Amino acid sequence: MSAGPLFSEHWHRVRDLRPSLAADVVSELHSYRGSNTYVLQRRSGGKLYRLDARSHALVMRLDGTRSVTDIWEESLARFGESAPGQPELMALLAELHAAGLIVVDQRLDAEYLFSRGDEERRSTRRRRWMNPLFMTFPLVDPDPWLERCRPLAERLFSRRLAAAWLALVVVALCAVLPHGSALRQAIADADLLAPRELLLLALCWVVMKAVHEFAHALALKRYGCEVREMGIALMVLLPIPYVNASAAGILPDKRQRMVINAAGIVAELAIAAVAALVWLNVSGVVADLALRLMLIGGLSTLLFNANPLLRFDGYYLLADWLEIPELESRGKRHTLAMLRRLVFGETNAAASGSASSAARDAPEPLDARESAWLIGHCLSATVYRIMLMFGIALFLSKRYFFLGKVLAIWVLFALIVLPFWRYATFIRSEVRETRYRPLWRSVALGVPLLLCFMLVPLPASRTVTGVVWLPENAILRAASDCEVTRVVATPGGEVRRGSEILRCENEELDTERLSLLARLAEVEARIAAAGLDDALATERLRAERALLEERLRRVEAEVADQVLVAAYDGQFVVDPDAALAGRFFRQGAEAAVILPKHERVVRAALPERHVRELDDDRFRSVALRLASDPEGHTWSSSVRRLSPVASRTAVSAALTRKGGGRLENQGGGTDRELREAAFDVELDWPEGIAAAPVGSHVSVRIERRAETLLQRSLLALQRLLLGEVQGR
């Protein structure tokens, strides 16, 4: 007999039922990796139901004239030991009824047998709300008017149009590649979270996705399928139209199914190709719209539609190509089954309960390759989905704080907390059912993993882009508003440390100095005249003299600072296009530069959310690697100075995307304007290393105290949920 029990104590509830298949149920024979499987579906649409040959033979006997007992007894006679037991047959009937594939001739015992249908509907609603990536809301049946588009579908999905599409994409790709830098610059200049940009993106998004879904619908009609559901979907909270393309699953030819699944991707790439050609040849608003269509048709296709790790078009393409139906759901069940075997020592799917649809819908993989695909896809899809949604939440929170945090909390609950809660519930039920016999397996596996997660520290570091820069003292700045009266050193020549470079003059300082000298002379005279006769007046004059002398010392120091001297041995560098003599400089303005022979510093910039890594107790060291060093040596350094406030202007364009760095530029701004404020960090130049060209790149690695995965997770969660609040 089958692996499950033969008899059921609830058999009396269904034995006299005479179920029959619904009138519009169709059945097709599919071949998956050399194994035959029957696929059932109602013509009106709905979930696909896959059966092996034995279950299909049973279902085909549901004609409304045979009772469930008759069908089971015939199965025993026909299949012998491989015949299903009563629990398995009851589970099969319940699932067929829940899917709407069978009808019966009398009122059913809904509390027991077919309560599964209500649970299935509740589960569908839960899945709709628990998937932040894609939520659907059905509205209309578009099949009547799509039927009139069948001639158009037959002309579009032909070899001639496929060749034309391929030529269009290749031409557009060849045209855009030489302009890659201009394209990157245009994307960097676009502030995608600005209201105007969001409006453009929303307009392009809706148009693109409408064409995408219409392409799916036409492909379905091309191969004779019905399209019974159309509505609105929320894709990452953005509304788009959608059509239910599940009818493609009944087609026995996998190439036809793959064409239907790829239709939307093909349509988006065609629009993106046309938009690329338009962008290269126009300007203004039209070019802006074309750029957004390129981004949506390329980026969203890569991250979402064509990505097999998400349950969109790319996923179904991969499943059909591999001939592994229900790749995601079977992968989850197979991974869970492997975990159950590892933890609880079970050797078959029926070890923990009655046989059910798991044996039909999720059969054991045919070979090790299929098992690897199922487990690999399950794990990678789970990790990718979590990372993608948290990335989107962080991206949104930079501009729309509340929306980003709500999405982050939603993702945390739906994709992490809820699955872990279900797993914990499953472990508890399994331990209770097996009376704690395999508990040591769970402890032996779980405790070491938990200890590693909580106690084993892992290296922590962050790498940012730096730039070789001059020490602050190498830049000669005007001490006050002044005019250059004499250039002592030769521009472009070598100078020695301490030698005079420029002489400046500030008439106000000179005038104030002469005035202070005159007032001091007057006060000295008044003190001498007062003598010893008026002690009180003498004391007051002496106090005034002390104030004047202090003020005179400060003014003379400022006058002395008008002589700019070299702080290092090096080359006197000036702007060759502007004469220094007679030039006026504001206080703090850069007048000239001494290019030292050996002295350098490294300037870097840290965004506000990362600056704490330099001043908390987790900071350990800083290491540098010069881009000009072909051997890639690493040199130790230290923090010389950290700016007290963040700025949206980088010290050098080399730190930004436009200059080859990592900081994002502000759209429409200069090469040094940043999208996110950053703190300026000055690092010491390592000893024993030759001076590098000013402006060249340096890789800066900030080493931090090793942290466990638990600590990192808590810090990441704190940064996500509270970081922006603290930053404000």
Side-chain angles (χ1 to χ4, degrees):
M1 296 296 173
S2 62
L6 179 60
F7 298 104
S8 170
E9 60 182 358
H10 302 289
W11 182 251
H12 64 280
R13 300 190 181 190
V14 299
R15 65 186 181 187
D16 296 327
L17 296 179
R18 299 179 183 273
S20 63
L21 284 175
D24 62 343
V25 171
V26 293
S27 174
E28 292 286 351
L29 177 62
H30 288 208
S31 177
Y32 298 117
R33 302 171 64 83
S35 177
N36 291 333
T37 300
Y38 291 88
V39 180
L40 275 65
Q41 187 185 40
R42 300 191 67 167
R43 291 188 183 276
S44 57
K47 181 180 177 181
L48 297 173
Y49 206 81
R50 294 178 174 84
L51 300 171
D52 57 20
R54 185 194 63 177
S55 299
H56 182 261
L58 284 174
V59 170
M60 289 298 103
R61 292 181 174 274
L62 301 177
D63 55 5
T65 62
R66 296 181 176 90
S67 67
V68 173
T69 300
D70 294 337
I71 294 173
W72 182 60
E73 290 176 350
E74 292 174 3
S75 174
L76 291 175
R78 179 175 179 181
F79 295 107
E81 292 186 356
S82 63
Q86 290 175 355
E88 185 176 352
L89 180 56
M90 292 169 64
L92 173 61
L93 293 175
E95 293 184 5
L96 292 174
H97 181 268
L101 297 175
I102 63 172
V103 293
V104 294
D105 60 347
Q106 56 185 283
R107 183 178 180 83
L108 303 177
D109 187 350
E111 292 184 1
Y112 171 71
L113 183 59
F114 299 120
S115 60
R116 193 183 190 103
D118 295 333
E119 176 59 29
E120 177 69 20
R121 286 184 287 272
R122 287 193 296 269
S123 177
T124 300
R125 287 194 295 268
R126 286 196 300 268
R127 286 194 299 268
R128 176 178 296 168
W129 288 103
M130 286 297 102
N131 182 9
L133 287 174
F134 198 73
M135 296 183 295
T136 60
F137 303 92
L139 296 178
V140 297
D141 178 1
D143 195 70
W145 63 268
L146 283 175
E147 187 65 29
R148 294 194 289 270
C149 299
R150 186 189 291 270
L152 173 63
E154 292 177 351
R155 287 193 294 269
L156 286 177
F157 292 93
S158 62
R159 293 184 179 180
R160 181 177 301 177
L161 263 296
W165 172 85
L166 182 61
L168 173 64
V169 172
V170 170
V171 169
L173 190 61
C174 293
V176 168
L177 283 179
H179 300 84
S181 58
L183 179 60
R184 289 192 297 270
Q185 184 65 47
I187 295 174
D189 290 341
D191 186 2
L192 298 180
L193 292 180
R196 176 180 179 273
E197 295 296 329
L198 288 177
L199 182 61
L200 285 176
L201 284 174
L203 176 63
C204 296
W205 179 277
V206 172
V207 172
M208 181 77 80
K209 297 307 173 183
V211 174
H212 176 108
E213 296 301 321
F214 188 61
H216 281 308
L218 289 179
L220 286 165
K221 302 310 295 184
R222 168 66 176 82
Y223 296 111
C225 299
E226 295 182 349
V227 184
R228 291 296 184 180
E229 182 179 303
M230 185 175 187
I232 299 296
L234 292 182
M235 187 175 185
V236 197
L237 304 182
L238 295 177
I240 59 171
Y242 87 95
V243 296
N244 187 341
S246 61
I250 200 68
L251 296 173
D253 189 343
K254 78 172 186 179
R255 290 173 297 182
Q256 294 179 352
R257 299 195 301 270
M258 293 178 69
V259 169
I260 294 173
N261 291 325
I265 298 174
V266 169
E268 288 195 14
L269 289 178
I271 294 177
V274 173
L277 297 176
V278 172
W279 177 76
L280 289 172
N281 294 281
V282 300
S283 59
V285 177
V286 177
D288 291 341
L289 287 172
L291 177 62
R292 276 63 183 178
L293 287 173
M294 289 171 58
L295 287 176
I296 295 173
L299 187 61
S300 72
T301 297
L302 177 64
L303 292 179
F304 295 101
N305 289 321
N307 191 334
L309 299 180
L310 299 174
R311 201 178 177 93
F312 298 133
D313 298 340
Y315 161 80
Y316 293 102
L317 278 171
L318 177 65
D320 284 328
W321 177 62
L322 295 174
E323 297 184 1
I324 304 178
E326 300 184 18
L327 177 61
E328 182 182 44
S329 58
R330 286 184 59 196
K332 290 179 180 178
R333 289 196 292 267
H334 180 61
T335 304
L336 183 58
M338 296 294 289
L339 182 62
R340 290 169 66 174
R341 292 172 187 171
L342 181 62
V343 175
F344 296 99
E346 297 179 2
T347 57
N348 55 67
S352 63
S354 62
S356 66
S357 61
R360 296 183 303 274
D361 293 341
E364 285 298 308
L366 300 178
D367 50 39
R369 182 170 175 265
E370 184 174 355
S371 176
W373 273 109
L374 291 174
I375 296 176
H377 183 272
C378 175
L379 297 179
S380 57
T382 300
V383 173
Y384 178 81
R385 189 177 292 112
I386 294 173
M387 293 178 61
L388 175 64
M389 290 307 301
F390 272 120
I392 294 174
L394 285 173
F395 179 73
L396 290 176
S397 65
K398 292 179 182 179
R399 181 68 64 87
Y400 303 100
F401 173 75
F402 179 75
L403 180 61
K405 300 315 176 189
V406 169
L407 182 59
I409 295 173
W410 188 3
V411 173
L412 183 67
F413 175 75
L415 300 182
I416 298 180
V417 175
L418 189 59
F420 271 98
W421 172 259
R422 289 174 176 170
Y423 175 72
T425 303
F426 159 75
I427 290 293
R428 184 177 58 188
S429 63
E430 288 291 324
V431 170
R432 184 170 57 249
E433 290 179 7
T434 53
R435 300 181 182 178
Y436 297 92
R437 285 177 298 178
L439 182 59
W440 67 270
R441 291 177 178 266
S442 181
V443 173
L445 177 65
V447 171
L449 292 177
L450 184 62
L451 290 177
C452 290
F453 181 76
M454 298 177 60
L455 302 178
V456 177
L458 299 176
S461 65
R462 182 177 303 281
T463 301
V464 298
T465 300
V467 61
V468 178
W469 209 246
L470 294 174
E472 182 61 29
N473 292 340
I475 302 175
L476 303 182
R477 300 184 184 277
S480 62
D481 297 348
C482 66
E483 179 182 349
V484 178
T485 57
R486 180 185 176 190
V487 181
V488 180
T490 303
E494 297 292 327
V495 296
R496 303 287 295 178
R497 179 179 180 179
S499 60
E500 291 189 11
I501 306 299
L502 301 175
R503 288 180 177 270
C504 298
E505 182 179 285
N506 185 317
E507 293 183 357
E508 293 182 359
L509 285 177
D510 292 340
T511 301
E512 184 178 4
R513 176 174 175 275
L514 294 175
S515 174
L516 289 171
L517 288 174
R519 290 177 61 187
L520 271 174
E522 179 185 353
V523 170
E524 290 287 356
R526 292 172 61 185
I527 291 175
L532 299 177
D533 297 337
D534 192 347
L536 184 60
T538 301
E539 185 66 24
R540 187 179 69 252
L541 290 172
R542 288 175 177 173
E544 183 179 355
R545 182 180 62 184
L547 291 175
L548 290 173
E549 290 175 344
E550 176 63 25
R551 176 58 183 163
L552 179 61
R553 282 193 294 271
R554 289 199 302 268
V555 170
E556 287 181 340
E558 292 181 20
V559 171
D561 287 340
Q562 304 304 308
V563 179
L564 304 184
V565 299
Y568 302 99
D569 296 342
Q571 183 184 12
F572 176 34
V573 180
V574 297
D575 184 358
D577 298 328
L580 278 178
R583 189 175 176 183
F584 181 81
F585 290 99
R586 291 289 184 184
Q587 182 179 5
E590 179 181 323
V593 172
I594 303 299
L595 183 60
K597 295 181 178 180
H598 306 291
E599 291 79 4
R600 295 288 188 273
V601 295
V602 174
R603 301 287 285 275
L606 277 177
E608 289 181 287
R609 63 182 184 277
H610 295 150
V611 73
R612 300 187 190 95
E613 298 178 0
L614 283 178
D615 59 6
D616 60 17
D617 59 352
R618 293 187 294 272
F619 172 71
R620 286 295 177 264
S621 63
V622 176
L624 308 178
R625 188 172 69 248
L626 304 182
S628 57
D629 184 0
E631 298 183 3
H633 291 122
T634 300
W635 306 87
S636 178
S637 179
S638 58
V639 178
R640 170 181 287 194
R641 180 183 60 84
L642 176 64
S643 62
V645 295
S647 171
R648 288 187 178 270
T649 302
V651 66
S652 170
L655 298 176
T656 69
R657 293 284 188 187
K658 293 182 180 181
R662 303 188 182 187
L663 298 177
E664 295 289 344
N665 289 94
Q666 175 65 37
T670 65
D671 291 351
R672 294 170 55 198
E673 288 189 45
L674 303 177
R675 177 173 298 175
E676 180 182 358
F679 286 83
D680 180 35
V681 182
E682 185 173 321
L683 305 171
D684 288 320
W685 189 253
E687 297 183 2
I689 179 174
V694 175
S696 59
H697 282 114
V698 179
S699 179
V700 180
R701 190 175 73 249
I702 302 171
E703 298 286 352
R704 295 167 57 78
R705 183 184 65 198
E707 297 172 333
T708 66
L709 290 176
L710 176 62
Q711 292 173 316
R712 293 189 185 186
S713 302
L714 293 176
L715 287 172
L717 184 61
Q718 180 185 16
R719 186 183 302 120
L720 178 64
L721 299 179
L722 303 177
E724 294 292 334
V725 175
Q726 294 173 355
R728 295 182 181 189

